[in-house]
Amino acid sequence: MLPVTAAAIAAPPPVDSRLQPCGNAYYLPTQYTCYDTDFLCPVLNGVPTLQCGPDCYNPSTYRCSNGRLVYQPPATFASTASASSTLASAPSSSAAATCTGVPTTQYLSDPPYNNYFYSDCHSESQVVVTSPQPDSNLTIIGSRLLVAWPAGNSGVVSFFAPSNGINGTLGIELVNSTIGHPLSGVYIPPNSSPLTGNARVGVSTLVNFNSSAILTVPILGSIRTIRDFTEGPSILVPSVQNAINFASTTGGGAVLSRLWFDNVTVTQMSFVPISSNSSVLIHNRTVELSAGIYNFTATFDYPQLTQLPANQVLNAQSQSLVQQYPDQTTSLSFLSYTEKLLAGSWRFLTYFGRDSLISLLLLQPVLSEGQGGAVEAVISAVLERLNRTDGGVCHEETIGDYATYLNLQMNVSSTAPGCTYQMVDTDYYLMPVMQNYFLDSGVGQSRRLAFLTTQSTLNFGNHGLSYAQLALINAEKIMNTSAPFAQPGGQTEANLIHLKPDQLVGEWRDSTYGIGGGRIPYDVNTALVPAALRSIAALSAAGFFPSHPDWTITATTYAQVWEDNTLAFFRVTVPATQAQQLLANYTSSSSGNNFPSHADTITSEIVYHGLSLQGNTNQPLIRVMNSDDCFRHFLLNTTSQTQLTSFLNSTANNILAPFPVGLSTPVGMLIANPAFGGDPVYAANWTNNAYHGTVVWSWPMAMMAAGLQRQLGRCSTTNATSSPSPPAFCTDSIVYGRVRAAYNHLWDLIEANTAELSTEVWSWVYNNNSDAGFVREELGSLPPPPGLSPTESDIRQLWSLTFLAVTRDTTLQ
């Protein structure tokens, strides 16, 4: 690890006479100490830190032995560990009692994963216990104990193996306490020991091992580092793993600790025997635990976020949802903070732009508005992280320990966060969100001036810019990139929006084969671009972009061209006879599933719109039926009547038809159906064990339901969202009837799978002995596609909570 230095490259002589030289750098003696003439260590809270090889350290927490740091727990932590037997029934320190409210706890079971949540006034934690089930695939499921923290996207994980060497024999579980929930909060007030000056927070619990275990792989620090191990080819970073210190604790336990790359933050986890027959043995860099009960504690000292309680996430009109849906609103609160909303737990406990914006589009009717509310938390988080150079919206932030690690890979000693901007779809959600809030909400209208004049404060490179300036930069990007296609004669494939040249992904289906290697995504071009243009026109008319008064007309003109001329590029029509043959080929190639083809139900041509253009293996159009029609139905009120009627008709037919003819299964609406691809590559790449294969995601069902409701609502002249005159499909009894039937069929599927709706993604297996045939299956429990790692679904995903706002219109039944 590298020290936090004042400079890492040669610097010119200082203008400030107080600065002194240290090698090629200059420093203030009040902030740094120079060792060996060229090595800087920071002064923290007025106390100089010391040098130990390549590291700086605080002697109250570490000592130096042979050039390496050795952890020595401070007295506050040692005393907490020695009293750990009380942690299951009481707070871990008296300071924790200063929380006046009752801690919020939640337990969610999805075998082989058991999820526990704990929040109090000090911190928020999620604990995931993985214990193999009798039917688990032991090649991908093993015993594991994981803690995830929203602050810094941080966490710890311990992987265990049975001492007897027989996979599947080791079971671990948390032990309920006298207060009815296994988790207790840990809070150690800041004092002179921590380098950070922050309180040490986390959770403690009792964990039972049914047999002797070996802690084979511990990872401490960042959830991203843990994901690199669990989702990639078992990547372990030597500089992370080698920095873990193993030490004994009072009570015969073991404590593992690691100093972050910032050289100040420390993550710790400990196992202390509780039952008389349990014991811990530290051997080199492994820990052996006999069968029995242990107190497990995990803590860190990183700045915390400000959580929004359930009643503060929701607006005044939606407070009843807390009592009606306590499970979902508690989960929504765990993912909601005044600084930002987080994408999902445990794998995505951080900012993701697309996830936040789609969630806001669907959830806005129930979310809190105004300063400190959930709506402005989303919009401000997006603007703070905007790429001021080209107007791109940040896809995923890189923060905490992982940010420092990536900076060091570029020879920069910095804790500054970063952002990725590889997605093209995310850029187009900001304008519709701003229109919905600042034009269509009374609170948003009243907050317009105060919000837009706010100056950027976070360290993402936008200091000195106001939110209004940042929004303008995004709008300019959209106008510039959409202009070529909108020009006379410009309606060519070359002028559509492409993925970035150096990227394999660029929209929500961001897995290896999500859009088949395509370069021109369906959802972006047919829905997101024209929707953003419509919003720019509306915002411009309201005076949002005074430097571009022409946008009111220009953006409207562009939007019309995009709406009317993009669908044709993606349309696929399969004659009935050919469709029946393709179904026979597909079902025969789907070995092990044995589901019926339903080919006898096909009486007319199959029409759908492909996922993308310019795909792998020289596929000009990726011929995969999909659920992305939902974007256009939800975001646009198109006016080309023939096209609208045809599009709604094909969407309705595909929702109503059973898979593999359409997208309908008893476990939900599938996001992809490759049956009509006509090439073996489709059946191979879109499978029930692929992240974006023939699987079910919650939020596309929510957006499709909301979109069909919006389109049906246009048929009512009394509906506030209806067109000046109802569209032509409203008077076509056959098409209108199909759309209405599809809406109700979709809602029947949604209601039949209520228990799954809040999770990220789920899959299925086909069981001939089941009346339904298709049986829900955890995606992470299925063997992954060749060359890929298994994908573990988040138990709670932000955009999977949108059914709090998206509800069935019973008048359409």
Side-chain angles (χ1 to χ4, degrees):
M1 290 181 292
L2 298 177
V4 179
T5 60
I9 58 176
V15 176
D16 191 335
S17 60
R18 297 175 300 169
L19 291 170
Q20 298 183 14
C22 183
N24 291 326
Y26 292 90
Y27 71 101
L28 285 172
T30 57
Q31 298 179 2
Y32 290 90
T33 304
C34 183
Y35 294 101
D36 300 329
T37 72
D38 63 356
F39 190 96
L40 289 175
C41 281
V43 175
L44 299 170
N45 298 322
V47 179
T49 54
L50 306 180
Q51 180 186 0
C52 181
D55 300 305
C56 302
Y57 72 100
N58 187 324
S60 65
T61 310
Y62 287 85
R63 62 185 174 86
C64 189
S65 177
N66 297 321
R68 290 181 59 86
L69 291 179
V70 177
Y71 173 71
Q72 48 186 16
T76 52
F77 182 76
S79 63
T80 300
S82 65
S84 58
S85 61
T86 67
L87 286 169
S89 58
S92 61
S93 70
S94 59
T98 59
C99 287
T100 56
V102 176
T104 300
T105 60
Q106 188 173 24
Y107 168 65
L108 300 170
S109 178
D110 189 14
Y113 308 105
N114 285 293
N115 296 262
Y116 304 84
F117 296 83
Y118 181 93
S119 302
D120 61 20
C121 67
H122 300 304
S123 64
E124 300 78 31
S125 304
Q126 178 186 3
V127 176
V128 185
V129 180
T130 309
S131 193
Q133 304 296 297
D135 60 347
S136 291
N137 183 339
L138 298 180
T139 63
I140 58 177
I141 300 295
S143 299
R144 184 191 72 181
L145 184 59
L146 180 147
V147 180
W149 294 303
N153 196 21
S154 312
V156 302
V157 67
S158 299
F159 290 88
F160 300 95
S163 297
N164 61 20
I166 304 175
N167 288 341
T169 59
L170 175 62
I172 59 176
E173 62 179 352
L174 301 192
V175 179
N176 264 330
S177 69
T178 57
I179 59 174
H181 192 270
L183 300 184
S184 294
V186 174
Y187 178 79
I188 301 172
N191 53 39
S192 60
S193 295
L195 296 175
T196 61
N198 298 319
R200 177 159 294 280
V201 297
V203 286
S204 185
T205 185
L206 299 182
V207 57
N208 180 57
F209 292 80
N210 71 338
S211 63
S212 298
I214 300 172
L215 198 171
T216 56
V217 178
I219 305 174
L220 295 84
S222 171
I223 290 296
R224 282 294 304 272
T225 306
I226 295 173
R227 280 177 52 200
D228 286 346
F229 181 77
T230 60
E231 298 178 5
S234 299
I235 298 172
L236 287 173
V237 180
S239 55
V240 173
Q241 299 307 108
N242 294 339
I244 298 175
N245 288 281
F246 295 72
S248 299
T249 70
T250 304
V255 60
L256 284 67
S257 65
R258 177 180 160 259
L259 180 67
W260 285 18
F261 289 111
D262 64 5
N263 282 316
V264 292
T265 307
V266 174
T267 297
Q268 301 168 332
M269 67 175 172
S270 64
F271 295 88
V272 180
I274 296 299
S275 54
S276 59
N277 61 328
S278 58
S279 63
V280 175
L281 175 64
I282 301 174
H283 180 68
N284 293 328
R285 298 185 65 78
T286 62
V287 178
E288 297 183 26
L289 304 96
S290 64
I293 299 176
Y294 297 81
N295 175 247
F296 169 74
T297 302
T299 63
F300 71 141
D301 54 343
Y302 191 78
Q304 299 296 298
L305 301 171
T306 307
Q307 186 179 22
L308 288 170
N311 63 340
Q312 294 181 26
V313 178
L314 303 171
N315 57 34
Q317 298 76 29
S318 305
Q319 291 299 305
S320 62
L321 295 176
V322 177
Q323 287 73 41
Q324 289 179 266
Y325 304 103
D327 175 88
Q328 291 89 336
T329 53
T330 298
S331 295
L332 179 60
S333 172
F334 185 78
L335 297 173
S336 301
Y337 300 82
T338 58
E339 299 89 346
K340 57 191 173 184
L341 270 60
L342 314 182
S345 54
W346 62 270
R347 294 160 51 245
F348 303 124
L349 273 178
T350 190
Y351 162 97
F352 279 78
R354 178 198 304 121
D355 300 60
S356 299
L357 291 166
I358 288 178
S359 300
L360 177 52
L361 285 167
L362 290 166
L363 277 169
Q364 185 174 342
V366 303
L367 291 182
S368 57
E369 300 179 327
Q371 187 173 17
V375 172
E376 292 192 17
V378 172
I379 302 175
S380 62
V382 170
L383 291 171
E384 287 279 0
R385 293 161 178 80
L386 197 84
N387 186 333
R388 67 188 296 172
T389 302
D390 72 353
V393 172
C394 172
H395 166 57
E396 178 184 5
E397 67 178 358
T398 305
I399 57 175
D401 191 46
Y402 202 75
T404 313
Y405 168 73
L406 292 184
N407 289 332
L408 289 173
Q409 305 314 297
M410 298 182 290
N411 294 318
V412 176
S413 295
S414 171
T415 60
C419 264
T420 60
Y421 298 93
Q422 75 270 38
M423 299 297 166
V424 297
D425 65 338
T426 313
D427 300 341
Y428 298 95
Y429 291 113
L430 177 59
M431 291 295 111
V433 160
M434 291 188 64
Q435 177 188 355
N436 289 353
Y437 184 53
F438 292 111
L439 299 189
D440 300 338
S441 162
V443 175
Q445 292 172 13
S446 68
R447 285 281 299 155
R448 172 180 167 180
L449 179 61
F451 183 88
L452 293 178
T453 55
T454 300
Q455 297 286 314
S456 174
T457 58
L458 300 185
N459 191 19
F460 289 96
N462 291 325
H463 284 292
L465 293 181
S466 69
Y467 287 174
Q469 290 172 306
L470 291 166
L472 173 62
I473 294 172
N474 175 254
E476 287 175 336
K477 176 176 186 174
I478 293 167
M479 294 298 294
N480 291 335
T481 56
S482 63
F485 187 86
Q487 302 308 309
Q491 293 77 52
T492 66
E493 187 173 296
N495 287 334
L496 292 170
I497 301 299
H498 292 55
L499 301 191
K500 296 185 177 181
D502 57 341
Q503 297 294 331
L504 296 176
V505 297
E507 47 87 84
W508 85 270
R509 297 172 186 264
D510 53 355
S511 57
T512 303
Y513 301 111
I515 57 172
R519 308 305 303 165
I520 304 174
Y522 168 55
D523 59 334
V524 174
N525 286 279
T526 63
L528 300 184
V529 174
L533 289 167
R534 291 290 184 193
S535 293
I536 289 173
L539 291 165
S540 177
F544 271 69
F545 308 114
S547 59
H548 296 280
D550 59 301
W551 279 359
T552 302
I553 297 175
T554 304
T556 299
T557 303
Y558 285 8
Q560 193 70 51
V561 175
W562 279 84
E563 286 177 9
D564 293 348
N565 295 279
T566 50
L567 277 182
F569 287 94
F570 300 88
R571 183 182 171 96
V572 178
T573 302
V574 186
T577 302
Q578 182 185 1
Q580 291 170 341
Q581 184 59 54
L582 289 172
L583 282 178
N585 296 339
Y586 174 68
T587 52
S588 64
S589 67
S590 300
S591 59
N593 286 310
N594 300 316
F595 45 77
S597 70
H598 296 293
D600 58 338
T601 65
I602 297 178
T603 58
S604 61
E605 63 186 15
I606 300 293
V607 178
Y608 64 92
H609 294 80
L611 281 173
S612 62
L613 307 180
Q614 301 179 6
N616 289 332
T617 63
N618 299 315
Q619 297 280 342
L621 170 60
I622 298 301
R623 298 164 66 91
V624 173
M625 183 187 294
N626 61 84
S627 58
D628 287 0
D629 294 0
C630 66
F631 289 99
R632 192 167 166 107
H633 294 312
F634 177 67
L635 293 170
L636 295 170
N637 279 347
T638 58
T639 56
S640 176
Q641 298 304 316
T642 301
Q643 186 181 77
L644 173 61
T645 299
S646 175
F647 185 56
L648 276 166
N649 189 56
S650 64
T651 298
N653 286 338
N654 298 335
I655 292 173
L656 288 167
F659 175 74
V661 179
L663 300 172
S664 176
T665 75
V667 299
M669 179 185 71
L670 302 183
I671 64 164
N673 174 7
F676 304 108
D679 187 312
V681 71
Y682 289 101
N685 290 343
W686 283 271
T687 58
N688 66 330
N689 59 351
Y691 195 47
H692 294 105
T694 55
V695 296
V696 183
W697 287 63
S698 178
W699 73 264
M701 291 197 294
M703 184 176 282
M704 185 69 83
L708 293 181
Q709 183 174 332
R710 173 178 184 170
Q711 298 307 317
L712 289 167
R714 298 171 70 186
C715 297
S716 171
T717 56
T718 60
N719 192 302
T721 61
S722 65
S723 303
S725 59
F729 84 89
C730 300
T731 57
D732 185 324
S733 60
I734 295 176
V735 174
Y736 177 83
R738 284 188 183 136
V739 175
R740 188 162 176 166
Y743 175 79
N744 284 296
H745 177 67
L746 178 59
W747 267 108
D748 290 344
L749 296 180
I750 291 168
E751 292 171 354
N753 292 279
T754 301
E756 320 300 337
L757 295 180
S758 298
T759 61
E760 179 189 9
V761 54
W762 62 95
S763 188
W764 51 269
V765 293
Y766 193 80
N767 186 345
N768 285 309
N769 297 321
S770 168
D771 291 339
F774 292 87
V775 178
R776 187 263 185 196
E777 182 68 33
E778 163 65 41
L779 179 61
S781 298
L782 296 172
L788 299 177
S789 300
T791 301
E792 180 181 339
S793 173
D794 283 344
I795 189 68
R796 285 293 179 267
Q797 200 79 356
L798 180 64
W799 57 18
S800 297
L801 298 169
T802 51
F803 285 105
L804 286 168
V806 178
T807 58
R808 188 172 194 163
D809 184 348
T810 57
T811 66
L812 294 173
Q813 285 182 298

